[in-house]
Amino acid sequence: MSNMSYCRFENTLRDLQDCIWSLEGGEADDISGIELKSAIDMVEACQEFIDLQWKLDEIIDEQDK
């Protein structure tokens, strides 16, 4: 199920934090198959998001005006 546009980033942040805590806590040490592939794909998606920092900066600047 997709996130509603008004809470997309908030919900995704919580889910991403849960995944981080799972990796840090060793809960994900035995992931495999589609779950492992999804974790690898998520790293790539996070890099793409980081690469869009300039866009977030533009949005922040625009709101500061």
Side-chain angles (χ1 to χ4, degrees):
M1 178 177 209
S2 64
N3 286 314
M4 301 301 289
S5 62
Y6 63 86
C7 59
R8 169 182 297 136
F9 292 100
E10 180 182 1
N11 291 343
T12 302
L13 173 60
R14 275 190 248 140
D15 291 339
L16 180 59
Q17 287 172 326
D18 183 53
C19 292
I20 291 167
W21 295 331
S22 174
L23 287 168
E24 288 176 338
E27 297 171 30
D29 289 352
D30 61 348
I31 63 170
S32 61
I34 191 70
E35 218 25 31
L36 179 56
K37 176 160 180 4
S38 295
I40 293 166
D41 291 346
M42 189 173 4
V43 170
E44 293 173 12
C46 286
Q47 184 58 57
E48 289 179 41
F49 187 80
I50 291 167
D51 291 344
L52 288 169
Q53 176 68 44
W54 66 270
K55 182 64 176 171
L56 289 171
D57 291 340
E58 281 185 357
I59 294 167
I60 292 166
D61 289 346
E62 194 61 34
Q63 289 185 4
D64 286 345
K65 290 181 181 180

